[in-house]
């Protein structure tokens, strides 16, 4: 049986964690290089060569030089993904006119607003609600 003290186990776990973190950062930077629209093809090629041939210096230089714009591109990407998701939900929900479940929800919400503002009595509200749900 091999002697492997607890401290060595923690040290190995730390080394493994840093190794995984390094690869995450490397792939994040490579994807950012390809995603960047403000850089020419030669600029992208230069950064890729620097990051691959001299990885530690290349990654640190990229984070120092382009770190701020990297965050802005991430935020823009998140906004685009959010907008695309919201558009998909709107399309999947169907038309919001007078037809479909979404139209009923809109009409019920409008009726509730009219009732809360006092424009409709409870009896008028119930009749209109029953008519929509029928």
């Amino acid at each position: 049986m091999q002697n492997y003290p607890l401290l060595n186990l923690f040290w190995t776990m730390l080394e493994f964690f840093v190794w995984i973190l390094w690869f995450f950062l490397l792939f994040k930077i490579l994807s950012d290089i390809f995603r960047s629209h403000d850089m020419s093809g030669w600029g992208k090629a230069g950064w890729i060569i620097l990051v691959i041939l001299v990885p530690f210096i290349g990654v640190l230089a990229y984070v120092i030089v382009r770190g701020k714009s990297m965050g802005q591109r991430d935020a823009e990407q998140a906004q685009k993904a959010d907008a695309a998701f919201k558009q998909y939900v709107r399309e999947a929900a169907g038309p919001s006119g007078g037809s479909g479940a979404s139209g009923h929800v809109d009409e019920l919400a409008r009726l509730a607003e009219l009732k809360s503002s006092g424009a409709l009595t409870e009896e008028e509200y119930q009749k209109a609600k029953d008519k929509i749900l029928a």
Side-chain angles (χ1 to χ4, degrees):
M1 184 171 167
Q2 183 179 1
N3 188 9
Y4 203 69
L6 187 62
L7 186 60
N8 285 349
L9 176 67
F10 287 133
W11 183 252
T12 302
M13 288 173 56
L14 179 66
E15 288 175 342
F16 183 70
F17 174 74
V18 169
W19 185 70
I20 295 295
L21 187 64
W22 167 252
F23 277 110
F24 175 78
L25 182 61
L26 184 66
F27 290 129
K28 178 78 173 160
I29 287 176
L30 286 173
S31 67
D32 187 67
I33 289 172
F34 285 109
R35 185 175 53 190
S36 179
H37 296 295
D38 62 338
M39 206 179 343
S40 70
W42 288 106
K44 290 179 183 184
W47 276 113
I48 290 171
I49 289 170
L50 184 65
V51 166
I52 290 176
L53 292 182
V54 191
F56 292 113
I57 294 172
V59 166
L60 290 176
Y62 189 85
V63 170
I64 291 168
V65 173
R66 297 185 51 89
K68 186 175 182 179
S69 62
M70 191 167 136
Q72 292 169 347
R73 279 187 294 281
D74 280 343
E76 288 172 9
Q77 183 72 20
Q79 288 174 347
K80 287 179 184 177
D82 186 51
F85 175 73
K86 287 180 180 178
Q87 180 64 30
Y88 170 75
V89 169
R90 273 191 232 96
E91 290 173 2
S96 62
S99 64
S102 179
H104 294 314
V105 171
D106 292 341
E107 289 182 43
L108 288 171
R110 188 175 53 83
L111 279 176
E113 288 176 18
L114 290 172
K115 180 185 169 209
S116 66
S117 70
L120 290 177
T121 64
E122 180 66 32
E123 184 180 321
E124 293 171 330
Y125 171 75
Q126 284 300 328
K127 285 181 184 178
K129 182 175 133 182
D130 291 340
K131 184 178 177 183
I132 291 171
L133 294 176

